[in-house]
Amino acid sequence: MVALFLAILSALLTPTLSAPAGISIPHVDPSKILCRLPILQNIWITCPSNGKAALNRQTSLGTANGVEDPNGAYRFAVRYGNAARFQPSSVVTSWDLPNGSNNASALPLACPQPDIDASAYSEDCLSMILYVPPSLTVTSQAPTLVWIHGGSFIVGSSSGAGLDGSKLAIATNSIVAVIQYRLGAPGFLAPNGQTNLAVKDVVTGLNFLKKVLPYFGGSPSKVTLAGQSAGANMIRALLAVPSASSLFRSAILQSDPMNFGFLSPTTYSALKNDFVSRTGCSATDNACLNGLSVAALISASMATFNAGLSISPAAGQAQPIRPVLDGSYIAAPLDSTGTFPPQTKPLLITTVAQEAGWAIYKSFSDPLPEFALPSVCEFSLGSDRTATVLNQQLYQPIPNAGGDPDARAQLQLIGTDQLWKCSGWTFTRSWVQNGGTAYVGQYVVGSTYPGNELVPFCTQSGVVCHQDDIQIVFGTVENPTSAQSALITETQSRYKNFLANGNPNPSGLSAWPAATSSNVHPKLLGGTGEATVGACDPSFWGSSVQYDYQYYHNY
């Protein structure tokens, strides 16, 4: 219809008379007029923007300017929220490109973080990128997948490696929204005591989507949250926020380090006070705090992050800055240390086969003798938990290529089970026992995520390290193998079904049984059958050996 209308308009606007000598009649581009016609506000139109084809869409917040992504979807970058430093965010009142840009093809600047150029980040960073399949119309009522990036709550962005949502959007016929939120102390350790600002940023983003999704063919009642690592941790926090429950109907948690749990108010206060002391300001001196440079904020935030374990053992080593169980916004721990509330939402909970591989083999580049195992374990688990773990014979010595035992292999298994796999299964059983539905999976095929190639262990055949599932889900693997291609197709098909009805079992694929309180049925993704239970038996991790959230419960 648009093409026909354009053709008619072009014919009407094309001069049919010869111009008098010496007078030029300019050609009128009908698309430029089309872009301004109110009658076409509710259909896609292609308009010029800075020399590139752009797509305009009229919304309740104004005109959304986007471009066609190289992978086929329509891409819209947008600023979704406003926030002053250390204050809660609010939904924008108009549609604006991120960072004051007038280039619809530009991607948002990241939130302030270490190890990137200052020109790549901005405090004005509450932005997201929408990927919309060309097939959608305003009447489609399509689902939306909101992706929350990981990065230990200190790094990451909506334009991170592998997060182009175009292929995923087209494969699932859904809108994919990749969101970013405040990181480090600005998002989690506000000196004024305002807790969980980053969690509230995501809620602000969800409220923004509720306003605009209908104009892109999406249904506000069909939103699924998905995220990996810290992004999955963020989703678990949102599952514990009663006021956010109506904003999404299902969730996908990939590689959530559930062993840590939420911060306690005591540990949060200790971390917050440490951060404030490193700024050189007092907690009540707003002029001083607001006058700090962004570089100074990052420096103080990272100093607290790196000192987290020494500030409080409950903070843990890898993700000391994280959501806090403040008792008001986040109302329940969602673990065995408190009453688990009734649940109704369906979840997908997945891990990868060698979650701890990158951390262990990066820390110990050479084989580790067996006699070193207890002392290394004690650094993370303490002496009593280490003794229980090693006395149960569940983690036997594994020889390296030369035939000698390499304690790194045992440490990798222990770390994977404690931080991700077994703690995730424990959470699953609690979720199901309290009325929710859950499907558990383990990736045994992956794609080496940028950075993981620096650790040779993670590039070995059959090894799937932390983050190696991301490009499988998004379909952004470069030159995929046949096994990767097959898993991408399967995963996106299962996600499409899950987004539609909360069940990852489309016709034509092998059955993925729902978890029960006694058997989580962990499906091997990229393999056949189910993962072995091993040490994830509920009588071991979480019982004989406590998770950190249990062990440090009184901190």
Side-chain angles (χ1 to χ4, degrees):
M1 181 62 72
V2 176
L4 176 62
F5 189 86
L6 183 59
I8 295 171
L9 184 63
S10 179
L12 291 173
L13 293 175
T14 300
T16 56
L17 298 176
S18 299
I23 298 178
S24 173
I25 298 178
H27 171 71
V28 179
D29 183 351
S31 69
K32 293 182 179 179
I33 296 180
L34 263 175
C35 290
R36 296 179 174 85
L37 292 180
I39 192 173
L40 296 179
Q41 286 181 349
N42 286 325
I43 59 175
W44 292 111
I45 53 178
T46 302
C47 307
S49 174
N50 294 331
K52 294 184 178 182
L55 298 161
N56 293 340
R57 185 70 165 181
Q58 192 64 32
T59 77
S60 59
L61 298 178
T63 302
N65 298 311
V67 295
E68 186 172 345
D69 186 82
N71 288 312
Y74 298 151
R75 187 182 76 213
F76 297 84
V78 62
R79 182 171 177 258
Y80 69 81
N82 300 306
R85 183 179 287 182
F86 300 128
Q87 296 297 326
S89 55
S90 60
V91 178
V92 297
T93 57
S94 62
W95 185 286
D96 293 304
L97 296 173
N99 315 114
S101 174
N102 60 4
N103 181 3
S105 65
L107 298 177
L109 296 178
C111 289
Q113 57 190 275
D115 303 326
I116 64 173
D117 191 87
S119 63
Y121 61 67
S122 168
E123 279 194 273
D124 177 20
C125 64
L126 299 187
S127 303
M128 68 172 68
I129 305 172
L130 302 181
Y131 297 88
V132 182
S135 60
L136 296 189
T137 69
V138 290
T139 61
S140 293
Q141 293 288 296
T144 296
L145 183 148
V146 179
W147 180 267
I148 305 175
H149 71 78
S152 296
F153 293 124
I154 55 169
V155 297
S157 73
S158 60
S159 56
L163 299 186
D164 184 316
S166 187
K167 291 181 178 179
L168 179 60
I170 292 171
T172 58
N173 200 39
S174 67
I175 297 170
V176 173
V178 185
I179 190 172
Q180 54 190 41
Y181 48 91
R182 283 176 285 183
L183 301 168
F188 295 92
L189 301 177
N192 57 22
Q194 300 226 39
T195 58
N196 296 310
L197 291 180
V199 182
K200 295 172 184 177
D201 289 345
V202 177
V203 171
T204 295
L206 294 176
N207 278 306
F208 169 84
L209 286 171
K210 187 175 181 179
K211 290 177 178 287
V212 303
L213 282 177
Y215 300 95
F216 294 89
S219 168
S221 64
K222 299 178 183 177
V223 172
T224 296
L225 303 185
Q228 187 270 346
S229 194
N233 189 167
M234 176 72 82
I235 294 170
R236 182 159 42 91
L238 290 165
L239 289 168
V241 177
S243 59
S245 183
S246 64
L247 297 174
F248 63 102
R249 68 175 183 177
S250 56
I252 303 170
L253 289 77
Q254 298 176 208
S255 300
D256 183 352
M258 296 193 189
N259 162 76
F260 292 134
F262 303 135
L263 290 178
S264 70
T266 301
T267 300
Y268 157 76
S269 293
L271 292 166
K272 173 178 68 70
N273 293 339
D274 180 85
F275 166 69
V276 172
S277 71
R278 295 177 188 275
T279 66
C281 303
S282 72
T284 57
D285 190 344
N286 292 329
C288 179
L289 291 166
N290 289 329
L292 290 170
S293 68
V294 176
L297 276 179
I298 295 173
S299 177
S301 180
M302 288 308 300
T304 296
F305 181 93
N306 292 328
L309 188 62
S310 63
I311 295 168
S312 171
Q317 294 173 276
Q319 199 170 276
I321 296 177
R322 59 182 186 270
V324 55
L325 179 62
D326 54 17
S328 54
Y329 194 68
I330 296 181
L334 291 187
D335 60 36
S336 59
T337 63
T339 301
F340 208 101
Q343 302 298 332
T344 58
K345 297 183 190 296
L347 303 182
L348 282 184
I349 301 170
T350 64
T351 56
V352 302
Q354 289 83 23
E355 290 278 9
W358 184 88
I360 296 299
Y361 285 83
K362 181 177 184 294
S363 299
F364 304 100
S365 57
D366 296 320
L368 200 63
E370 191 67 16
F371 66 77
L373 179 62
S375 61
V376 177
C377 275
E378 286 180 8
F379 182 72
S380 296
L381 298 176
S383 58
D384 53 347
R385 287 193 292 174
T386 293
T388 303
V389 168
L390 299 184
N391 287 340
Q392 291 296 315
Q393 304 299 309
L394 287 167
Y395 300 101
Q396 292 296 304
I398 301 173
N400 60 23
D404 297 320
D406 186 349
R408 295 179 301 175
Q410 292 156 282
L411 288 169
Q412 193 284 128
L413 290 172
I414 293 169
T416 293
D417 285 355
Q418 180 204 18
L419 265 69
W420 292 280
K421 179 181 173 183
C422 299
S423 51
W425 292 15
T426 297
F427 172 84
T428 298
R429 286 188 287 266
S430 295
W431 190 263
V432 172
Q433 286 168 0
N434 288 276
T437 302
Y439 299 86
V440 174
Q442 178 179 302
Y443 284 89
V444 293
V445 169
S447 172
T448 303
Y449 195 74
N452 282 2
E453 77 279 358
L454 301 176
V455 178
F457 172 81
C458 292
T459 64
Q460 294 181 40
S461 176
V463 171
V464 187
C465 285
H466 192 65
Q467 300 186 99
D468 287 353
D469 53 337
I470 293 175
Q471 295 179 113
I472 294 294
V473 169
F474 277 81
T476 49
V477 180
E478 291 188 14
N479 303 314
T481 65
S482 58
Q484 290 171 332
S485 293
L487 183 56
I488 289 169
T489 299
E490 176 184 345
T491 300
Q492 293 183 340
S493 179
R494 291 190 184 279
Y495 273 37
K496 180 178 182 178
N497 217 66
F498 186 78
L499 296 178
N501 58 32
N503 188 315
N505 283 292
S507 60
L509 292 180
S510 59
W512 188 344
T516 69
S517 58
S518 59
N519 187 343
V520 301
H521 293 295
K523 184 173 183 60
L524 292 178
L525 302 172
T528 58
E530 297 183 354
T532 57
V533 174
C536 291
D537 187 286
S539 66
F540 191 70
W541 282 108
S543 181
S544 295
V545 184
Q546 293 184 325
Y547 299 119
D548 279 8
Y549 64 74
Q550 298 167 303
Y551 193 74
Y552 297 113
H553 181 54
N554 293 322
Y555 278 73

